[in-house]
Amino acid sequence: DSGVTQTPKHLITATGQRVTLRCSPRSGDLSVYWYQQSLDQGLQFLIQYYNGEERAKGNILERFSAQQFPDLHSELNLSSLELGDSALYFCASSVASGRQETQYFGPGTRLLVL
Amino acid sequence: AQSVTQLGSHVSVSEGALVLLRCNYSSSVPPYLFWYVQYPNQGLQLLLKYTTGATLVKGINGFEAEFKKSETSFHLTKPSAHMSDAAEYFCAVSPGNQFYFGTGTSLTVIP
């Protein structure tokens, strides 16, 4: 158990809908990262937040957005969902924001768009 | 452009045999390099990482990797495979604030 929690574990929705994925980092960790893992795209870095501020942005679509709240939990919002958005979404956390930091991954949220 | 190439999407070894998983990278700046392991239905777990200093890095579960700048490689090895090593392994590079992952290598250990 990494100490990172993600809810829900599974999510089934329809095209065009909007969903919110939630991540609680390990106690004391200030950075949160979001990743998408799909069969065709592999593991893609989406975005990083550090202490409430966006720190780095990867291959995140404009239909997707994220934020980190004062209590340090983070939410990833996916809107206008398409079939291709079906994937496993991971959250990770680390103590600080540097690239040398060890990231601890949550168990993921599996999203299925029908 | 940054990228990570993992040669061999599937590798099979016998229990007790050497494990060698290959990773090559391209980076415009000195990279930080990582190996992660993913067990079925679980998140990723860091095996080891190279940031600076000694190029031979030792990680958990008996794994190690060597950073070879001249070959732009960061291959993962373990002297003796165990059944519990069967998993998906990902190499990753961080040239800056972003992270780039390889496509993964699925390791099968044959008893």
Side-chain angles (χ1 to χ4, degrees):
Chain A
D1 184 358
S2 66
V4 178
T5 60
Q6 291 186 247
T7 55
K9 285 189 175 181
H10 302 276
L11 198 48
I12 302 175
T13 188
T15 54
Q17 294 299 304
R18 171 190 170 97
V19 297
T20 297
L21 313 183
R22 182 187 169 104
C23 169
S24 294
R26 294 187 322 152
S27 176
D29 284 0
L30 298 179
S31 269
V32 170
Y33 311 76
W34 285 98
Y35 295 87
Q36 179 194 58
Q37 186 178 34
S38 62
L39 285 176
D40 56 343
Q41 299 277 359
L43 195 60
Q44 303 267 333
F45 166 67
L46 296 178
I47 197 164
Q48 177 200 359
Y49 279 83
Y50 174 72
N51 204 21
E53 300 286 330
E54 182 183 305
R55 182 57 61 99
K57 184 177 279 192
N59 297 323
I60 187 166
L61 300 172
E62 286 192 10
R63 298 184 287 110
F64 296 179
S65 65
Q67 59 185 125
Q68 186 178 27
F69 294 86
D71 67 352
L72 300 177
H73 91 271
S74 178
E75 293 182 355
L76 178 67
N77 299 296
L78 315 177
S79 62
S80 302
L81 284 168
E82 302 175 358
L83 296 177
D85 297 328
S86 295
L88 193 53
Y89 291 84
F90 287 110
C91 162
S93 73
S94 64
V95 173
S97 68
R99 60 189 177 128
Q100 76 283 0
E101 293 292 319
T102 294
Q103 295 181 33
Y104 296 87
F105 281 74
T109 293
R110 188 172 295 278
L111 173 66
L112 180 59
V113 182
L114 300 176
Chain B
Q2 281 65 232
S3 70
V4 181
T5 302
Q6 291 185 240
L7 294 175
S9 57
H10 298 275
V11 170
S12 294
V13 299
S14 298
E15 190 174 15
L18 171 72
V19 176
L20 170 61
L21 304 182
R22 300 178 186 274
C23 174
N24 288 87
Y25 69 91
S26 66
S27 176
S28 56
V29 298
Y32 286 5
L33 297 157
F34 308 81
W35 274 101
Y36 285 88
V37 61
Q38 184 178 27
Y39 297 102
N41 301 314
Q42 293 186 29
L44 280 73
Q45 180 183 7
L46 181 70
L47 277 177
L48 48 81
K49 62 182 177 183
Y50 169 79
T51 56
T52 58
T55 56
L56 182 61
V57 181
K58 295 187 184 297
I60 62 171
N61 301 339
F63 285 94
E64 62 182 37
E66 186 171 10
F67 169 56
K68 292 187 176 181
K69 185 178 179 180
S70 60
E71 299 177 8
T72 60
S73 69
F74 191 57
H75 301 332
L76 181 71
T77 60
K78 181 174 180 177
S80 177
H82 191 272
M83 296 298 294
S84 61
D85 295 327
E88 188 88 14
Y89 292 80
F90 292 91
C91 180
V93 59
S94 178
N97 283 337
Q98 297 201 22
F99 298 86
Y100 300 90
F101 284 79
T103 51
T105 297
S106 177
L107 177 66
T108 299
V109 182
I110 303 166

